[in-house]
Amino acid sequence: MINIVLFGKPGAGKGTQAEFLKGKYNLVHLSTGDIFRYNIKNDTELGRLAQTFMDKGDLVPDAVTIQMLQSEVDKNPQAAGFLFDGFPRTLAQAEALDAFLATKNEEITATVALEADDNILVARLLERGKTSGRPDDQDEEKIRNRYYEYNHKTAPLMHYYAAQNKFYAVDGIGSIAEVTERLSAVLDQLHIK
Ligand code: ADP
């Protein structure tokens, strides 16, 4: 299996690039943010729980997120691989993911971060908030809190994967096609086909 983790701060373009990558490499795309929003829309117990955290721009607790992610993986036994988007976001999640994949004799193939400056991204998110309907995109304070969460809890994961020689970074600023090109160059060099 090919298992890719896509990192990037809020607004860095993970969702947009994931659309392309999942097709090119035949991966099942799992976006924890999308799964939470789907649950909120359908008013499930999980959705109601997640919403209290998401609306403030806080991370949803690890135990909840890890369990949800594992059940989504298990729903796709035929997958040729996964594209994890928005997961892991904490060290506990990364360790749980490694342990979970190991039980299936699988592992993370590579992680790629889309890099971009916070100020550019905040402006992008406020713009997206005008049409996305996402409460967490409409208030600069909540957006800044998401960057705080990212910088404190998610950024350290880059070291975790670098220590396993599985970390790559690409410049996330440029046209969608340019960024896609950069991501493909990294993955193709790993001979992921
Ligand atoms: P963005 O990257 O733009 O913030 P996402 O859709 O990936 O958007 O995530 C939206 C929100 O969903 C996060 O702010 C957080 O509250 C919650 N969330 C998503 N993934 C995780 C995760 N792996 N762990 C904890 N919370 C998460």
Side-chain angles (χ1 to χ4, degrees):
M1 273 169 85
I2 292 165
N3 296 303
I4 307 289
V5 173
L6 199 53
F7 280 117
K9 292 174 185 167
K14 296 186 295 291
T16 305
Q17 296 299 334
E19 281 306 307
F20 157 79
L21 292 175
K22 73 175 182 193
K24 178 162 184 194
Y25 301 102
N26 187 26
L27 305 173
V28 173
H29 175 208
L30 292 183
S31 158
T32 41
D34 286 352
I35 300 166
F36 284 135
R37 279 186 290 277
Y38 176 85
N39 278 276
I40 290 172
K41 205 169 112 206
N42 290 286
D43 199 27
T44 67
E45 199 182 324
L46 174 66
R48 284 192 293 272
L49 173 67
Q51 185 164 27
T52 55
F53 298 94
M54 288 172 75
D55 281 355
K56 288 183 271 178
D58 290 340
L59 293 183
V60 177
D62 282 336
V64 176
T65 309
I66 290 167
Q67 202 193 17
M68 177 191 85
L69 191 278
Q70 292 181 349
S71 92
E72 293 294 324
V73 168
D74 285 336
K75 281 183 198 164
N76 291 280
Q78 308 299 338
F82 291 92
L83 179 58
F84 298 104
D85 160 4
F87 186 95
R89 266 174 145 106
T90 64
L91 189 57
Q93 291 179 14
E95 288 171 347
L97 180 59
D98 277 351
F100 176 63
L101 292 175
T103 66
K104 302 175 184 297
N105 287 321
E106 297 293 346
E107 61 175 359
I108 292 298
T109 312
T111 69
V112 194
L114 292 174
E115 295 188 320
D117 177 76
D118 287 15
N119 291 322
I120 295 177
L121 296 180
V122 171
R124 259 197 212 173
L125 284 189
L126 286 167
E127 201 51 45
R128 178 171 91 182
K130 290 180 190 164
T131 55
S132 71
R134 281 178 55 170
D136 60 345
D137 279 351
Q138 287 166 13
D139 173 330
E140 184 157 345
E141 206 175 312
K142 290 177 189 170
I143 292 176
R144 296 271 174 205
N145 186 41
R146 282 152 68 199
Y147 287 96
Y148 180 87
E149 292 278 74
Y150 187 91
N151 291 328
H152 282 79
K153 297 177 183 168
T154 309
L157 294 185
M158 299 180 191
H159 302 291
Y160 176 82
Y161 288 110
Q164 299 183 25
N165 288 320
K166 290 180 180 172
F167 179 74
Y168 302 86
V170 304
D171 182 358
I173 299 298
S175 70
I176 291 175
E178 278 164 354
V179 177
T180 300
E181 192 62 33
R182 292 175 199 143
L183 281 170
S184 296
V186 168
L187 296 178
D188 287 343
Q189 145 215 309
L190 299 171
H191 303 292
I192 296 172
K193 285 275 152 60

